[in-house]
Amino acid sequence: MKKLLAIPAYLWAVVCLLIIPVTFIRNDTFAEQLATLSFMKVHPVYSGGELNRKYQQDSLTISVNKPVSATLLGSRKQQLQVTFSQKGHLPGIIDQTIDYDFDANPDFKVTINTASGETQLTPLVSDVRSCLASSKVKEDWVIRVNLDKK
Amino acid sequence: MKKPRVYATEGSIWKSILLTFPMILLILLFTAGGPPDLSTPEKSIAFLTTFFFLITLFFLILYTGKTDRYRAIGFVTLALFFALTFIVNLIKARGSMTFSQENLLACEIPFCHIVTTMIIIPAVITNSIIFPGSIIGGFASIASMLVIVIGVSLALGRGFCSWGCFYGGWDDGTSRLAHKPRIKKVNPVFRWFSFAVLLVIALISAMTLNPAYCDWLCPFKTVTEFEKVTSFSILMKTIVFLSLFVALVIILPVLTGKRFQCTTLCPMGALLSLTNKINAFDVRINKENCSSCEKCVKACPTLSLTAEDMTAGRPSITCMKCGKCIDACTKSAIHYHIKGTPNNKNYSWARNLFLYPAFLLLVVFLGGTMQSGIILLINLIKTGNLIY
């Protein structure tokens, strides 16, 4: 009986032996299949979240994403991503007033020196807290703003 | 007293060559990925050195019957060459070892296997991955690394920590620096610390949606990449991970002869200990042969063997299957074993069936890394510049 039970054990050992080469040889295929699973997407805190509205202001295209919760439970903290883009080069200074909730009232004013990266954010309503990140990303300029949930 | 021969290949050149032959083909496949590229003298030297280095290690493991002695040479080489090539590639791509806000916002951070421990709970709750990396494509994408983690967990369990982890070689190497450790007795309770770290880190990461271990603790950022210091909080994080590297990867391993970072801090090791039941291989103690000399207890680099474990006939779940206890035992009382098969029988079969996937894992990670590293070193000698 013990000898019989040992057969599947040895078979599993042989399968374990095969798993290593297969894992690496077929890594791209398995990774593509894994990437199709529903949970395989970067959390909005890192990706910036869904686009809410895109509009043109002067020569700039401004993309305002939906605010995303910055923690899992019970926190009022949110993050908002705004992307500034322009055909060709970005202007030396980006100076814009943003209405992120589209209630026709400006929520914050942002001034960015695209050469030095210096960013000044002035909240115009109480739920806007501070600038979390500001950086050139490829050809665009991206800012992330800390918000309090309304 | 001379250790009796237990393995069929031990001391037999022909049997060892015969069993090395399949590994030669696998090494060729995984180091060259087809016909070897010998187009330049640098590439030829790199390929041939790596190829013969790996074959020699495997042959010696079979011929001498010593597993850990030759595994460790490959494993430490992996850690050193991985750090060298990773850092040089980063400097070529980004200009420094640091990553910037741009890399974070663009989700360009390479995914490392340790992050797996922090993304599981948030993935279940939020249906997404809390890491600023790319899901697929590019270097070390999330999907690609998760496939490796799943495959390795299935095939070797915690054996990954001694045969494939490209960080583990650091404290494995430093733990061997002192001929005799200054601190001879380390309380085995330390082996459970990594489980506490896993629990705390997994919960904090889920609550904050931030991979907390990577952000604050990971000592191996010292030899890979870290955030550019632009604020006080980033400075604090830098001090924390540098201190942990000095303490857990250098000082404590040298003083104790134990792999302190892997034993006490690494949450990935703890997770692999929990999934270790699935794979086919473990280490067993033959109590009939055991003379209770406790050489294995002293040798174990992860505090996985105590007198109680020896009575139970197996090391604790923290065992990394490095083979150091097996090498240390003069009575051949410890051996690799295939779960579900009779204990104390077929030592050679069990050892060989374990050695092929385990050594192949080392080959997969070391093969390419070592070749790239050798090319860098040749260019350093030729041009005086590492980043050409």
Side-chain angles (χ1 to χ4, degrees):
Chain A
M1 188 63 187
K2 274 187 177 176
K3 278 188 179 174
L4 272 178
L5 284 173
I7 294 170
Y10 279 113
L11 279 176
W12 178 230
V14 173
V15 171
C16 287
L17 193 159
L18 296 173
I19 287 173
I20 294 291
V22 170
T23 297
F24 289 93
I25 292 169
R26 305 276 296 174
N27 185 279
D28 288 348
T29 317
F30 292 145
E32 276 169 24
Q33 285 169 351
L34 187 68
T36 60
L37 298 179
S38 65
F39 69 89
M40 286 297 284
K41 54 183 182 284
V42 176
H43 192 279
V45 159
Y46 297 100
S47 66
E50 264 182 78
L51 180 69
N52 196 3
R53 196 181 290 187
K54 197 174 192 176
Y55 60 95
Q56 198 77 23
Q57 183 114 339
D58 308 323
S59 57
L60 278 176
T61 304
I62 302 174
S63 308
V64 180
N65 288 9
K66 288 179 183 168
V68 292
S69 285
T71 55
L72 189 65
L73 298 169
S75 169
R76 286 171 47 79
K77 283 182 185 171
Q78 285 193 317
Q79 280 178 29
L80 170 78
Q81 177 167 308
V82 181
T83 308
F84 302 95
S85 40
Q86 181 173 291
K87 276 187 181 169
H89 291 290
L90 284 165
I93 301 286
I94 295 172
D95 190 13
Q96 291 291 332
T97 306
I98 305 292
D99 170 18
Y100 81 85
D101 51 6
F102 302 101
D103 61 355
N105 290 317
D107 296 309
F108 61 87
K109 183 177 183 300
V110 65
T111 309
I112 305 161
N113 182 331
T114 55
S116 66
E118 193 185 329
T119 304
Q120 200 176 354
L121 185 131
T122 313
L124 301 174
V125 290
S126 60
D127 55 310
V128 176
R129 307 289 295 173
S130 58
C131 182
L132 175 71
S134 173
S135 174
K136 191 177 181 202
V137 177
K138 291 172 184 140
E139 298 306 311
D140 304 331
W141 198 278
V142 173
I143 62 163
R144 295 244 174 110
V145 180
N146 284 321
L147 303 176
D148 275 342
K149 208 180 262 181
K150 282 189 176 173
Chain B
M1 194 180 80
K2 202 180 173 192
K3 188 178 172 178
R5 287 179 185 176
V6 261
Y7 307 118
T9 55
E10 211 175 335
S12 164
I13 287 185
W14 293 113
K15 281 181 183 170
S16 299
I17 289 174
L18 193 68
L19 281 178
T20 304
F21 191 72
M23 187 54 76
I24 293 174
L25 298 177
L26 289 166
I27 292 170
L28 200 59
L29 176 70
F30 281 98
T31 51
D37 181 2
L38 307 174
S39 56
T40 63
E42 289 89 351
K43 284 179 180 170
S44 307
I45 293 169
F47 172 75
L48 292 171
T49 311
T50 307
F51 185 63
F52 285 110
F53 175 73
L54 290 168
I55 291 171
T56 307
L57 286 185
F58 192 72
F59 173 80
L60 288 172
I61 287 174
L62 293 176
Y63 181 69
T64 63
K66 298 283 183 191
T67 310
D68 176 69
R69 184 184 292 171
Y70 301 104
R71 175 206 64 83
I73 295 170
F75 195 55
V76 174
T77 309
L78 168 64
L80 296 175
F81 274 115
F82 179 81
L84 173 72
T85 53
F86 191 90
I87 292 167
V88 169
N89 284 336
L90 275 188
I91 293 172
K92 277 184 192 171
R94 294 181 189 157
S96 79
M97 269 176 80
T98 60
F99 59 83
S100 63
Q101 235 170 34
E102 181 181 359
N103 304 124
L104 282 167
L105 291 172
C107 289
E108 289 176 342
I109 308 298
F111 188 87
C112 133
H113 53 283
I114 301 175
V115 192
T116 313
T117 57
M118 288 157 269
I119 63 165
I120 296 170
I121 298 174
V124 171
I125 298 171
T126 69
N127 208 29
S128 60
I129 306 288
I130 55 154
F131 189 78
S134 70
I135 291 291
I136 197 147
F139 175 65
S141 72
I142 297 169
S144 170
M145 291 301 286
L146 285 179
V147 167
I148 294 173
V149 168
I150 294 166
V152 169
S153 300
L154 284 173
L156 291 171
R158 196 152 185 196
F160 172 74
C161 302
S162 277
W163 293 87
C165 179
F166 32 79
Y167 301 135
W170 281 96
D171 55 347
D172 198 353
T174 51
S175 70
R176 291 164 196 270
L177 286 177
H179 183 60
K180 283 190 177 173
R182 287 277 179 89
I183 301 170
K184 290 194 171 62
K185 189 123 180 98
V186 183
N187 193 328
V189 79
F190 280 109
R191 66 186 172 179
W192 306 119
F193 275 34
S194 60
F195 293 88
V197 173
L198 171 65
L199 183 68
V200 172
I201 284 295
L203 291 175
I204 290 176
S205 301
M207 296 285 284
T208 59
L209 297 177
N210 178 38
Y213 181 84
C214 314
D215 206 17
W216 280 93
L217 300 179
C218 182
F220 294 112
K221 289 198 283 188
T222 311
V223 288
T224 50
E225 61 175 347
F226 48 87
E227 196 170 358
K228 193 174 182 180
V229 179
T230 53
S231 66
F232 181 71
S233 72
I234 299 174
L235 176 68
M236 290 305 294
K237 288 174 190 175
T238 309
I239 292 169
V240 169
F241 79 72
L242 279 174
S243 308
L244 285 171
F245 186 83
V246 172
L248 296 182
V249 182
I250 300 172
I251 296 174
L252 282 168
V254 170
L255 291 178
T256 61
K258 306 293 178 194
R259 287 173 62 179
F260 239 85
Q261 135 71 23
C262 304
T263 307
T264 61
L265 193 71
C266 183
M268 189 64 200
L271 182 69
L272 287 173
S273 289
L274 299 176
T275 61
N276 193 43
K277 284 276 178 197
I278 306 165
N279 78 94
F281 311 103
D282 63 2
V283 171
R284 289 288 178 94
I285 302 156
N286 181 347
K287 286 184 269 183
E288 286 169 17
N289 290 4
C290 179
S291 63
S292 300
C293 65
E294 298 200 358
K295 280 183 182 165
C296 54
V297 176
K298 289 185 196 110
C300 179
T302 57
L303 308 168
S304 301
L305 272 169
T306 61
E308 293 79 49
D309 296 319
M310 288 163 68
T311 312
R314 64 179 78 188
S316 84
I317 57 166
T318 52
C319 171
M320 297 180 191
K321 301 167 197 173
C322 64
K324 200 169 183 181
C325 56
I326 302 171
D327 286 5
C329 183
T330 51
K331 303 284 180 188
S332 303
I334 313 184
H335 54 94
Y336 287 115
H337 170 251
I338 293 168
K339 295 169 190 170
T341 63
N343 199 1
N344 313 330
K345 275 187 180 174
N346 301 328
Y347 286 4
S348 287
W349 269 92
R351 182 176 189 253
N352 293 338
L353 276 169
F354 171 75
L355 280 179
Y356 275 98
F359 194 82
L360 184 59
L361 186 66
L362 184 62
V363 167
V364 170
F365 284 114
L366 181 55
T369 311
M370 188 170 170
Q371 287 182 78
S372 307
I374 290 171
I375 292 171
L376 286 173
L377 293 177
I378 292 171
N379 281 303
L380 175 68
I381 294 164
K382 276 170 65 182
T383 64
N385 187 5
L386 200 59
I387 301 134
Y388 56 95

